[in-house]
Amino acid sequence: MEAPQYVAARIQQALAEDARTHELGIHVDVRGDQLFLRGQVSGTEQRERLGQVAHEAAPDLRMHNEIKVVVVSEPGEDEHLD
Amino acid sequence: MSTLTNVRIAAVGDIHLGEDVRGEYRKRLEGIEERADVLMLAGDLTRHGTLEEGRLVADELRDLPVTTVAVLGNHDYHSDQQDAIAGELRDAGVIVLNDDGVVIECGGTKLGVVGGKGFGGGFAGKCASEFGEREIKDFVAHTRSIAEAWKVALKEMQADRRVVLSHYSPVKETLHGEPLEIYPFLGSYLLAEAVDTVGAELILHGHAHKGSEKGLTPGGIRVRNVALPVLGKAYAVYCLD
Ligand SMILES: [Fe+2]
Ligand SMILES: [Fe+2]
């Protein structure tokens, strides 16, 4: 059986290199037959695509897509550099 | 003698725009002229660096009411279309820096901006050096030549105030939150060293999505990681008082 660290590395590689995602900042954890995805993206579609690519890379694992969608808000307070 | 007026800099990096969010970022830029004098984009404007995405970014940034300066990021290089993307941006009125500088008039103050994509290599004491295989030497030499170009551009620049715009980080403080193991791919101290040698008031960068906003160079120059996921808002505004 492939060690979980290698499976996670392979999934992470897929998320970075797959033309549908190209996402470098996603944290991938494999525990037993469970797969956890964590991180932040700017849209729901990107989160779904990441889930899809991860699933294709490891179809036998049960996936938990915990990636957070961060909505870009209005600019907040200014910082004064003096 | 020129009097220094405050300069308000809006900054963001890693907007990673794609067709599915067309028009949305532009909406967030509404009213920017009330908040800032200039907008600086710290690279990774696209997801895959395709020309289509480059055109989309150019559309989003076209003819903004404030002077807009950008550098590209590693994602914008992914499809080998970086020159064409820069061309699209320039046609849309965006100043694109590629290891050179520009001087912008901001209410009587000459604001000098120097920058480019930057590159990795790591941080003092824990970095790659020009030794061994050709591939490693090329990697380090790439960063070194970029740092040298910034130093020259800063030295030659006739400006009242100076800011540096990069994609990769010059310091490790603003990487805090990223795994230590990937620091060498997130930036290089050579960039900070170059800027410290000549001096500037602020260094802006992106790239480290999981990093933190605030840091300082060894020489005491303020560093801000303006990657969109770090800011959690459309852009940050820094006032040089
Ligand atoms: Fe990025
Ligand atoms: Fe990047």
Side-chain angles (χ1 to χ4, degrees):
Chain A
M1 204 187 101
E2 199 181 0
Q5 287 92 330
Y6 295 134
V7 179
R10 193 158 44 75
I11 296 167
Q12 196 143 32
Q13 199 91 12
L15 300 180
E17 292 176 2
D18 194 291
R20 287 168 290 173
T21 50
H22 282 314
E23 194 69 57
L24 278 68
I26 300 299
H27 198 94
V28 180
D29 269 319
V30 175
R31 296 281 183 278
D33 64 348
Q34 317 263 331
L35 161 64
F36 297 85
L37 301 181
R38 276 178 286 145
Q40 294 187 350
V41 294
S42 56
T44 323
E45 288 180 36
Q46 178 73 347
R47 177 174 63 191
E48 298 319 311
R49 281 192 294 262
L50 287 161
Q52 183 59 34
V53 172
H55 172 72
E56 288 170 20
D60 298 333
L61 298 180
R62 224 183 103 212
M63 191 179 58
H64 304 271
N65 189 344
E66 298 176 355
I67 295 168
K68 204 168 114 185
V69 175
V70 183
V71 181
V72 176
S73 68
E74 292 287 317
E77 202 191 346
D78 300 355
E79 184 189 353
H80 289 262
L81 303 171
D82 44 19
Chain B
M1 195 186 114
S2 63
T3 46
L4 296 184
T5 48
N6 296 359
V7 177
R8 299 168 304 164
I9 299 167
V12 66
D14 304 83
I15 54 178
H16 290 289
L17 299 182
E19 198 56 53
D20 54 323
V21 291
R22 182 186 279 276
E24 280 176 33
Y25 193 70
R26 178 70 184 205
K27 258 185 255 162
R28 293 294 178 201
L29 294 174
E30 251 166 51
I32 190 169
E33 68 277 18
E34 320 266 287
R35 296 192 170 96
D37 304 303
V38 47
L39 170 64
M40 300 200 189
L41 295 149
D44 273 5
L45 311 178
T46 66
R47 289 178 189 156
H48 320 121
T50 61
L51 189 52
E52 293 69 38
E53 286 179 343
R55 290 196 177 117
L56 185 145
V57 172
D59 285 343
E60 295 281 299
L61 302 174
R62 193 174 303 279
D63 301 325
L64 282 171
V66 294
T67 306
T68 305
V69 188
V71 297
L72 299 184
N74 54 320
H75 281 247
D76 309 319
Y77 275 69
H78 182 68
S79 304
D80 292 316
Q81 294 293 318
Q82 59 273 12
D83 296 336
I85 292 172
E88 292 290 332
L89 290 169
R90 290 190 178 110
D91 288 345
V94 177
I95 299 163
V96 183
L97 295 180
N98 188 11
D99 301 331
D100 50 5
V102 67
V103 177
I104 302 163
E105 281 291 338
C106 279
T109 298
K110 286 187 168 64
L111 174 68
V113 191
V114 163
K117 177 180 63 63
F119 201 46
F123 300 90
K126 293 165 184 65
C127 57
S129 47
E130 281 188 67
F131 180 83
E133 299 91 328
R134 176 47 52 202
E135 288 81 358
I136 286 285
K137 285 188 278 211
D138 288 346
F139 182 86
V140 178
H142 183 50
T143 312
R144 210 173 278 283
S145 74
I146 288 169
E148 188 55 36
W150 292 5
K151 196 159 76 182
V152 170
L154 280 168
K155 266 192 194 141
E156 289 175 350
M157 175 162 273
Q158 302 288 322
D160 302 315
R161 323 193 72 152
R162 287 175 175 76
V163 168
V164 172
L165 180 61
S166 174
H167 180 59
Y168 285 79
S169 177
V171 297
K172 56 185 180 191
E173 279 108 320
T174 47
L175 305 181
H176 191 83
E178 295 279 1
L180 276 172
E181 294 85 342
I182 66 167
Y183 276 23
F185 303 105
L186 297 178
S188 165
Y189 81 100
L190 295 173
L191 305 174
E193 189 183 38
V195 182
D196 272 338
T197 308
V198 191
E201 287 181 72
L202 174 67
I203 307 177
L204 299 163
H205 75 88
H207 192 45
H209 291 204
K210 288 186 275 189
S212 26
E213 187 189 354
K214 298 176 185 181
L216 211 55
T217 66
I221 298 170
R222 247 78 68 98
V223 179
R224 294 294 178 263
N225 175 359
V226 294
L228 187 77
V230 170
L231 297 178
K233 55 188 179 187
Y235 52 84
V237 179
Y238 303 108
C239 300
L240 303 183
D241 292 339

